[in-house]
Amino acid sequence: MNSRSDLVTLFVDTLTLSMAANAVIAMRLTKMAFGVVDPSQEAPLMVVEKIDAATEASLAAARSIAAGEPHHAAGRAMAVYKRRVDRNLRRLTRG
């Protein structure tokens, strides 16, 4: 991060992502509780997705550092989580 505006952008993106992630959790738990989705399929999917996202985000950050751009590491890791949370929001809000 080179400037204050970069930090503000990262903070806003983090806050936005945390709200979206909470919405995904709420939808998943509600759909499991009401039988809309099968908990025996959704629960393991949640775990696998978290492991995959953490791995992909770590690699994105590591690639930034290896490329001599450590100031982009956090933003690139955050982008991985954002894509995945957005994908889950779309999936869970369809029907």
Side-chain angles (χ1 to χ4, degrees):
M1 298 282 131
N2 291 338
S3 71
R4 187 175 190 88
S5 66
D6 289 338
L7 289 175
V8 170
T9 299
L10 184 60
F11 174 76
V12 170
D13 289 349
T14 303
L15 184 60
T16 303
L17 178 61
S18 69
M19 292 170 30
N22 281 317
V24 167
I25 293 167
M27 280 190 270
R28 279 182 140 156
L29 293 177
T30 301
K31 287 185 175 221
M32 285 191 284
F34 286 100
V36 177
V37 296
D38 183 2
S40 68
Q41 291 180 349
E42 192 71 20
L45 179 61
M46 291 165 57
V47 174
V48 169
E49 286 176 349
K50 282 169 184 48
I51 293 168
D52 289 348
T55 301
E56 185 181 344
S58 296
L59 288 172
R63 279 192 299 273
S64 290
I65 293 166
E69 300 177 330
H71 54 287
H72 291 302
R76 289 180 180 157
M78 182 73 59
V80 169
Y81 286 111
K82 182 180 181 336
R83 279 192 308 273
R84 288 172 173 269
V85 168
D86 288 348
R87 187 182 320 148
N88 272 321
L89 278 172
R90 282 191 306 273
R91 179 179 65 85
L92 291 165
T93 54
R94 280 184 278 158

